[in-house]
Amino acid sequence: RCKMRHANFIRFQRLLGRRGAPGRRARLAVERLGDRTAPAVFTVNSVGDQPDPTPNDGVQDDCDPNTAGNQYTLRGAIQTANSAVNGNAPDEIRFNLAGNAPFTIKPGSDLPTVTDPVVINGTSQPGWAAGKPVVELDGVNAGQVSTGLKVTAGGSTVKGLVVNNFFTGIRLESVQGLKGGNTVVGNFVGTDPTGKVAKGNANGVDISGSKDNTIGGAAEADRNVISGNYGTGVTILNGAKNNKVIGNYIGTDLTGKIAVPNILYGVWLNSDSNFVGGG
């Protein structure tokens, strides 16, 4: 094996047309094995909204030096994850917030767009239970046309969060349709943390021009509750294709038995080749 630039390796393999064939010239095949860097983990321990002071260094920094301890916010975590070097898997943002649930984060403006693959993992917060997220993103202070989480990076996951009071709760976007493969699971989008009371976004989940995304899943833990939004629960538009909306409660509470309607539509499709349904 020969070591090459950027921690990549090549492997030379002797290929013989016929074992032991005399006079046959061996050919060399080159196989790129890729970057072996491990994905990074960033842990949010503050409900504040301060940015990372050095957002492009890929290092978790103290976002609030005026408070004792190393304070790390969701805004800072997204900034850092965007600049960190991924390995063979997305980086991960976890939560370890002190106090009593629910743990409410109120951004003062749009959070940074997710531009590099990441898992935003609300299920990592102590106190989380299946089907009952405890980390709430509340857009009451974020502005009239704000977005809770906007993802343009493919291969990302948003799970185990409550997202409410934004213009758009979660938006998966790709102008050219070149990125996708994102997953949105186990969230309450448009309700309060109980999953029973409307606390709507204008629109819940938007997929714009992005493909191969999955909203929900066959497992109960993957179910999203997308309810109580003032516009539409799920919108798929601008050439978004091969997306799946499966196994969710749309327009009900977390039990699926009590109506918490989205005011305009449950699911609005303005693009073909998508799938809505599931058990």
Side-chain angles (χ1 to χ4, degrees):
R1 296 192 178 193
C2 302
K3 188 171 183 180
M4 296 186 70
R5 194 175 301 173
H6 303 306
N8 294 311
F9 294 85
I10 60 173
R11 185 176 65 189
F12 297 101
Q13 181 181 13
R14 185 176 301 274
L15 300 176
L16 295 175
R18 192 166 58 245
R19 182 181 298 273
R24 293 294 295 266
R25 180 175 296 178
R27 294 176 295 154
L28 296 178
V30 181
E31 179 183 0
R32 180 169 177 154
L33 299 183
D35 189 351
R36 299 303 178 93
T37 305
V41 175
F42 307 104
T43 301
V44 176
N45 64 359
S46 169
V47 296
D49 191 41
Q50 297 91 338
D52 189 307
T54 54
N56 297 317
D57 61 358
V59 177
Q60 181 168 324
D61 298 309
D62 190 350
C63 297
D64 181 13
N66 297 317
T67 301
N70 189 346
Q71 305 296 313
Y72 205 55
T73 66
L74 178 58
R75 182 177 297 277
I78 295 173
Q79 289 176 315
T80 306
N82 281 341
S83 66
V85 177
N86 292 91
N88 295 324
D91 296 326
E92 183 175 1
I93 295 174
R94 298 177 183 173
F95 295 84
N96 187 19
L97 300 163
N100 298 318
F103 306 92
T104 302
I105 299 170
K106 295 182 178 181
S109 61
D110 283 4
L111 290 165
T113 298
V114 174
T115 58
D116 196 57
V118 71
V119 176
I120 302 178
N121 185 5
T123 70
S124 61
Q125 170 63 39
W128 173 88
K132 295 182 179 180
V134 293
V135 177
E136 178 185 27
L137 303 186
D138 186 335
V140 65
N141 298 327
Q144 292 185 346
V145 291
S146 60
T147 300
L149 290 169
K150 180 179 177 180
V151 180
T152 61
S156 294
T157 298
V158 177
K159 66 179 179 178
L161 299 175
V162 181
V163 185
N164 53 44
N165 273 335
F166 293 93
F167 184 79
T168 301
I170 299 171
R171 183 174 178 85
L172 310 179
E173 181 176 318
S174 177
V175 175
Q176 301 298 327
L178 299 177
K179 292 184 179 180
N182 301 293
T183 304
V184 177
V185 291
N187 304 285
F188 292 174
V189 184
T191 75
D192 72 346
T194 70
K196 298 179 180 180
V197 178
K199 195 175 178 181
N201 308 283
N203 295 299
V205 179
D206 283 4
I207 304 175
S208 177
S210 187
K211 62 182 181 179
D212 300 319
N213 302 288
T214 301
I215 312 300
E220 184 175 355
D222 292 339
R223 173 185 299 137
N224 299 288
V225 176
I226 306 174
S227 304
N229 297 288
Y230 298 111
T232 300
V234 180
T235 303
I236 302 177
L237 72 166
N238 292 336
K241 294 182 181 295
N242 301 325
N243 298 288
K244 295 181 180 180
V245 182
I246 53 178
N248 302 288
Y249 284 159
I250 299 177
T252 78
D253 72 348
L254 80 167
T255 70
K257 298 179 180 179
I258 298 174
V260 184
N262 300 290
I263 302 303
L264 190 57
Y265 303 112
V267 179
W268 181 49
L269 297 171
N270 194 25
S271 186
D272 61 13
S273 301
N274 296 284
F275 180 87
V276 179

